[in-house]
Amino acid sequence: MEMRYFEEREISEEREREKEKEESWFSETAERFSSDAAVGKSVDLVVRAREQEIGIDPDRQLSISIENKAKKSSVKENYRHWIDYFKEEMDLSAEFSQSSRWSVSWRANPWLQMGHPWTSKNSAATDEEAEDFWSALESLQSSGRQRTVTSDEQPALYNYEDVEVTKMGPTDRRLFIDRILSTADEDNATFLKKLRHRIDNAGIELPTVEVRFENITVRANCHIGTRALPTLLNESINLTESLFGLFGVRSTQMTKLNILNNISGIIRPSRMTLLLGPPSSGKTTLLLALAGKLQKSLEVSGVVTYNGYELNEFLPQKTAAYISQYDMHTGEMTVKETLSFSERCQGVGDRYELLSELARREKAKGIVPDPEVDLFMKATSIEGQQIGLQTDYTIRILGLDICSDTIVGDEMRRGISGGQKKRVTTGEMIVGPTKTLFMDEISTGLDSSTTHQVVKCFQQIVHLGEATILMSLLQPAPETFDLFDDIILLDEGQIIYQGPRDHVLEFFHSCGFRCPERKAIAEFLQEVTSRNDQQQYWENKDKPYEFMSAAEFIKRFNRFHVGIDLRSRLSVPFDKRKSHNAALIFTKRSAPTKVLLKASFTKEWLLIKRNSFVYLFRAIQLLILAFVASTVFLRTNMKTKTEADGAVYIGAIVYGLNVNFFNEFAEQSLAISRLPVFYKQRDLLFYPTWVFTVPNCIVRIPLSIMESAVWVIVTYYSIGFAPEASSAGIELPTVEVRFENITVRAIATWHQSSANSSQ
């Protein structure tokens, strides 16, 4: 026992001596740091410890986690002792050096001390450092326009430096996205909360859009029976009748079909709204009506307003986006290329103005933003620059990172799966600044887990980004159903219920129907209005069951407290003065013309490279035909004495024209296959028609010249045309034929575009 006592005493004394040595060393380091800081130098605090006892490389900075180098538990204990000592004895403020780098002392959160960073004893030096910091943070407002951000590097946890966001490469963007979104659904919510926290701290109110529709009725004139079949005969008769209809002559009786019947409601911002209903209930028509994309052949009555503005008072195609249930994409492009092109065409919206106002208010309040949030906002707010960070972010939250470099594919090319293609259709719209979305059956082809992940990301965008989303899903899983705030139930073109999700079962219970415990609520809502399935949910067995029609449900809903509240909201018009200036878009220009042309030229050149086999095959085919023509019209057999001999030369020229003309027909199929994608993007106002047509034609001119040159080089001298330079234009019609094909294709595209837009 006495021996153990002396051993413990010696160990205790040894620890006290070690502590005194560490305190002495820390004091010398602090004095050296303070003396350097007093003369205005930027000092990186380098902790040189005893290599044998601590096991730390003396050339590494304190900012690198020492726990990563520790190998023994005693080392970790000494490291924690360091931390506690620093917290108690040292209060080192952040400094900004001449190289625009931050040197920050140990803190649990280094950016917290930057909220009041200028508390040094040397006030003059402090003011100068503060001005340097804010000038670096606000360099966006100079000629560079907000491109510099103070951020941190990956290994050095507290080493902040300036990052030029316009020079972020794919690797830098990927590492940044991996840091903020290691888990898409959970980390996305955390990141959006940080972004929203920055906006709220600056006292900025985000723009919101409230969509109202009152007394909407949609009817369609249609044929019945065999007359409605899409046959060639019926289409010919329809065309003839439409021509006579211009003169007021109606030869065929048509039936009016009610698609939507006098419906009203409100889609509120910051709330996820689910649209449910059996097939042919009018869900797609309602979404199209709210997005302002109904066909002009339909008879439409009623009013749709955004923040009190009717659809003809602004541009609903730019303010809102309708995400179709049909996937139309360019099959040769990859997922990332498709979303990147969409990002370029849609522009940045009001992000730049928001960031400028944030920088102004934060400087006035002395708030230093979170580096990750600041980098993300600046990288996604630079107009006219293709950074790609927004594209990478969208790919990650939609779970498309595993196929980002895979082509989308089409009927002739194998590409991504159907579910992934559906997510590309969704990402093509949310990659832009649009915050009002009408989504039609976006879960088709997705499993329940992926659907839940995607919908959860949208829920976070709605709640934290003040977005407005109406989403139509087909039998969502219970966990997906619980993510929505409001429910709209359609049946026979009428709204049976619209209101909070929490009260939907209460309403049907008041009508005498109960959802079984093990039954999914979404399935119950779609079956309770069906004539075949309604009886199984009848609750009161003492009373005889009678089928309850949609009209009867509507009467009961109007007496329900949710229906009464909805009518009271609709009775009060929306005050236009409360609408944010950036909530609605009144101009078609979403990106500079230079950016649109550059994006279109890049896309056309990319498609040429992806279809290089087609152009190579055409060139080889033309070369073979040129050799065939040379043997048929070989110059050794060609005479130049009579008019009949001249006719043979004319035949050679005509043959060359025909070969070059028909060789261009392969290009027509490629152009026609791209028209659906072009129509979709044109209707969404991605770009004007000429931005698509001009690059499409210009990029192919060198190919046409090259193919014409191949024909002329092989056939001109072998056939025996005049060798003089003045006669070299004898085969100029061959080149002209190719230019005529290009011109005809451009005119046809433009004409078809105008015809579709007028429908």
Side-chain angles (χ1 to χ4, degrees):
M1 293 293 294
E2 184 177 358
M3 206 53 175
R4 181 178 299 176
Y5 170 76
F6 284 112
E7 289 179 356
E8 292 178 354
R9 183 175 179 181
E10 290 178 359
I11 294 173
S12 177
E13 292 177 353
E14 181 65 23
R15 287 179 178 176
E16 290 180 0
R17 287 194 296 270
E18 291 178 357
K19 183 176 180 180
E20 291 177 358
K21 292 179 181 179
E22 290 176 356
E23 291 177 354
S24 176
W25 179 84
F26 281 126
S27 299
E28 295 175 359
T29 305
E31 291 176 0
R32 186 165 62 253
F33 178 82
S34 301
S35 62
D36 291 339
V39 295
K41 294 182 179 179
S42 175
V43 179
D44 287 333
L45 180 58
V46 179
V47 181
R48 297 190 176 275
R50 293 161 297 184
E51 295 87 358
Q52 300 297 329
E53 298 179 3
I54 307 299
I56 303 298
D57 186 355
D59 294 330
R60 300 299 297 271
Q61 297 180 356
L62 177 63
S63 56
I64 300 177
S65 176
I66 302 177
E67 286 186 333
N68 294 334
K69 300 297 254 181
K71 302 297 183 181
K72 298 180 180 180
S73 60
S74 60
V75 177
K76 295 184 178 180
E77 292 179 1
N78 289 333
Y79 172 58
R80 284 192 288 268
H81 174 71
W82 277 7
I83 296 173
D84 296 334
Y85 188 86
F86 262 137
K87 289 181 178 180
E88 295 174 1
E89 303 295 336
M90 305 184 68
D91 187 11
L92 306 179
S93 60
E95 294 185 36
F96 191 74
S97 67
Q98 297 177 356
S99 61
S100 301
R101 288 182 176 271
W102 283 98
S103 299
V104 183
S105 65
W106 175 268
R107 289 281 183 172
N109 186 354
W111 284 94
L112 292 179
Q113 69 179 358
M114 297 178 190
H116 304 282
W118 318 119
T119 57
S120 174
K121 297 180 181 180
N122 191 343
S123 59
T126 298
D127 294 339
E128 183 178 355
E129 291 169 355
E131 290 298 328
D132 291 341
F133 169 70
W134 286 112
S135 63
L137 197 60
E138 290 186 313
S139 58
L140 260 148
Q141 299 181 4
S142 61
S143 59
R145 303 305 290 175
Q146 298 199 350
R147 298 179 183 176
T148 304
V149 61
T150 304
S151 181
D152 55 341
E153 297 175 345
Q154 176 63 20
L157 301 179
Y158 303 101
N159 185 23
Y160 293 88
E161 66 173 16
D162 284 349
V163 176
E164 185 72 17
V165 294
T166 58
K167 297 180 181 179
M168 291 181 65
T171 304
D172 298 329
R173 297 197 306 268
R174 180 180 57 81
L175 291 176
F176 177 75
I177 293 297
D178 289 341
R179 287 182 54 191
I180 65 174
L181 294 177
S182 58
T183 305
D185 51 354
E186 298 177 0
D187 291 344
N188 183 52
T190 303
F191 180 72
L192 290 178
K193 288 178 181 178
K194 292 164 64 176
L195 193 148
R196 182 59 186 270
H197 180 68
R198 179 185 182 184
I199 296 174
D200 293 340
N201 282 348
I204 294 179
E205 181 180 355
L206 291 176
T208 59
V209 177
E210 180 180 283
V211 181
R212 297 191 179 199
F213 53 99
E214 301 181 38
N215 305 321
I216 296 295
T217 300
V218 179
R219 296 186 179 91
N221 295 323
C222 58
H223 298 283
I224 59 175
T226 57
R227 186 70 172 78
L229 297 177
T231 62
L232 180 60
L233 177 62
N234 288 337
E235 290 297 327
S236 301
I237 297 175
N238 293 341
L239 179 61
T240 304
E241 289 181 352
S242 62
L243 294 177
F244 283 107
L246 298 176
F247 302 98
V249 179
R250 303 290 181 183
S251 59
T252 304
Q253 284 294 113
M254 303 184 70
T255 302
K256 286 190 176 182
L257 176 65
N258 288 332
I259 303 177
L260 297 178
N261 188 11
N262 195 28
I263 61 175
S264 302
I266 302 177
I267 311 298
R268 291 187 288 172
S270 303
R271 296 182 66 85
M272 280 273 287
T273 305
L274 174 63
L275 180 61
L276 289 175
S280 302
S281 60
K283 299 189 297 294
T284 299
T285 304
L286 175 59
L287 293 172
L288 290 171
L290 297 182
K293 295 183 179 297
L294 284 176
Q295 296 181 3
K296 295 185 178 180
S297 59
L298 299 175
E299 297 181 5
V300 183
S301 62
V303 179
V304 177
T305 60
Y306 287 50
N307 288 355
Y309 291 86
E310 297 187 11
L311 297 181
N312 57 358
E313 297 178 343
F314 66 101
L315 288 176
Q317 298 92 334
K318 301 296 293 182
T319 304
Y322 168 73
I323 300 178
S324 173
Q325 56 182 309
Y326 304 107
D327 305 319
M328 292 179 290
H329 303 287
T330 304
E332 298 92 333
M333 299 178 65
T334 65
V335 172
K336 179 175 289 187
E337 290 165 351
T338 301
L339 299 186
S340 178
F341 179 77
S342 177
E343 180 189 359
R344 288 188 179 190
C345 293
Q346 295 186 67
V348 298
D350 62 338
R351 295 173 187 161
Y352 174 74
E353 288 76 9
L354 171 63
L355 187 58
S356 299
E357 182 65 16
L358 268 176
R360 186 185 66 82
R361 296 195 182 191
E362 286 175 341
K363 180 179 180 180
K365 296 183 178 182
I367 302 175
V368 177
D370 183 279
E372 294 177 345
V373 173
D374 190 48
L375 188 149
F376 180 82
M377 294 186 70
K378 288 181 178 179
T380 57
S381 303
I382 302 175
E383 188 174 9
Q385 295 286 342
Q386 179 59 22
I387 308 302
L389 192 60
Q390 182 68 30
T391 299
D392 295 337
Y393 171 77
T394 304
I395 288 175
R396 176 58 62 87
I397 65 174
L398 292 178
L400 294 172
D401 44 340
I402 61 174
C403 61
S404 60
D405 295 324
T406 306
I407 63 171
V408 176
D410 51 21
E411 294 81 0
M412 302 298 295
R413 300 174 183 82
R414 183 174 182 179
I416 59 178
S417 65
Q420 292 170 338
K421 192 174 296 185
K422 177 64 66 176
R423 280 178 278 171
V424 172
T425 304
T426 303
E428 193 175 16
M429 297 311 306
I430 68 172
V431 75
T434 305
K435 296 172 62 178
T436 304
L437 302 173
F438 301 102
M439 305 180 176
D440 192 4
E441 303 285 351
I442 66 168
S443 62
T444 304
L446 301 181
D447 59 274
S448 58
S449 176
T450 305
T451 302
H452 179 267
Q453 175 187 342
V454 173
V455 174
K456 188 174 182 180
C457 289
F458 281 120
Q459 181 201 45
Q460 296 161 358
I461 294 174
V462 168
H463 291 170
L464 299 174
E466 302 288 348
T468 303
I469 291 182
L470 175 61
M471 184 184 302
S472 170
L473 294 179
L474 184 62
Q475 294 183 343
E479 58 271 12
T480 303
F481 179 82
D482 293 338
L483 296 175
F484 290 89
D485 303 302
D486 295 330
I487 303 295
I488 295 180
L489 181 59
L490 272 178
D491 184 52
E492 299 179 2
Q494 303 178 81
I495 293 181
I496 293 179
Y497 177 86
Q498 179 185 359
R501 172 180 52 84
D502 299 334
H503 298 303
V504 63
L505 293 182
E506 178 187 352
F507 165 69
F508 283 100
H509 179 72
S510 66
C511 297
F513 299 94
R514 183 178 62 86
C515 177
E517 294 182 359
R518 296 182 178 273
K519 186 74 173 180
I521 300 178
E523 295 181 5
F524 163 76
L525 295 178
Q526 292 182 324
E527 294 177 359
V528 73
T529 59
S530 173
R531 184 178 294 272
N532 297 328
D533 301 321
Q534 189 182 91
Q535 185 175 2
Q536 61 179 318
Y537 301 115
W538 181 251
E539 182 180 18
N540 194 349
K541 303 299 182 181
D542 298 334
K543 295 182 180 181
Y545 162 76
E546 292 184 4
F547 175 72
M548 188 172 295
S549 63
E552 183 63 26
F553 275 119
I554 293 173
K555 291 180 181 179
R556 293 174 179 263
F557 177 70
N558 291 333
R559 298 193 297 266
F560 192 60
H561 66 88
V562 176
I564 296 174
D565 180 67
L566 177 62
R567 291 200 309 274
S568 64
R569 289 176 179 270
L570 288 171
S571 62
V572 180
F574 189 92
D575 190 359
K576 291 184 179 180
R577 295 173 297 180
K578 296 181 180 179
S579 178
H580 197 282
N581 294 332
L584 307 180
I585 299 177
F586 297 88
T587 176
K588 290 185 177 180
R589 180 183 179 275
S590 56
T593 304
K594 180 180 178 181
V595 175
L596 294 178
L597 281 174
K598 182 179 178 181
S600 186
F601 272 108
T602 304
K603 178 182 178 181
E604 295 300 329
W605 180 245
L606 175 66
L607 294 179
I608 287 179
K609 291 191 295 183
R610 295 285 163 81
N611 293 311
S612 58
F613 174 78
V614 176
Y615 298 103
L616 181 61
F617 179 83
R618 281 170 46 185
I620 296 176
Q621 174 182 271
L622 192 65
L623 183 63
I624 295 174
L625 292 176
F627 279 113
V628 172
S630 299
T631 58
V632 173
F633 301 97
L634 192 61
R635 66 183 302 169
T636 57
N637 299 326
M638 302 287 285
K639 308 297 183 180
T640 59
K641 296 180 179 180
T642 63
E643 292 183 1
D645 297 334
V648 177
Y649 280 97
I650 295 295
I653 295 174
V654 173
Y655 177 75
L657 291 175
N658 289 332
V659 169
N660 282 270
F661 181 80
F662 286 103
N663 194 58
E664 283 291 318
F665 269 72
E667 186 70 27
Q668 303 302 320
S669 61
L670 297 177
I672 292 174
S673 65
R674 293 181 54 195
L675 287 180
V677 179
F678 161 67
Y679 294 147
K680 180 188 73 171
Q681 295 175 345
R682 180 210 58 194
D683 294 339
L684 293 170
L685 298 183
F686 276 17
Y687 45 73
T689 302
W690 67 270
V691 171
F692 170 82
T693 306
V694 172
N696 189 298
C697 298
I698 292 178
V699 171
R700 284 163 176 78
I701 289 177
L703 295 175
S704 296
I705 294 177
M706 180 193 68
E707 292 178 358
S708 299
V710 169
W711 177 268
V712 172
I713 291 172
V714 174
T715 62
Y716 194 86
Y717 292 102
S718 60
I719 292 177
F721 290 114
E724 293 83 4
S726 60
S727 302
I730 193 170
E731 287 205 350
L732 184 62
T734 301
V735 182
E736 291 179 351
V737 163
R738 295 187 174 275
F739 287 154
E740 287 175 3
N741 285 340
I742 294 174
T743 306
V744 168
R745 184 170 67 235
I747 295 175
T749 303
W750 196 304
H751 175 72
Q752 185 68 22
S753 171
S754 302
N756 287 354
S757 61
S758 62
Q759 291 179 356

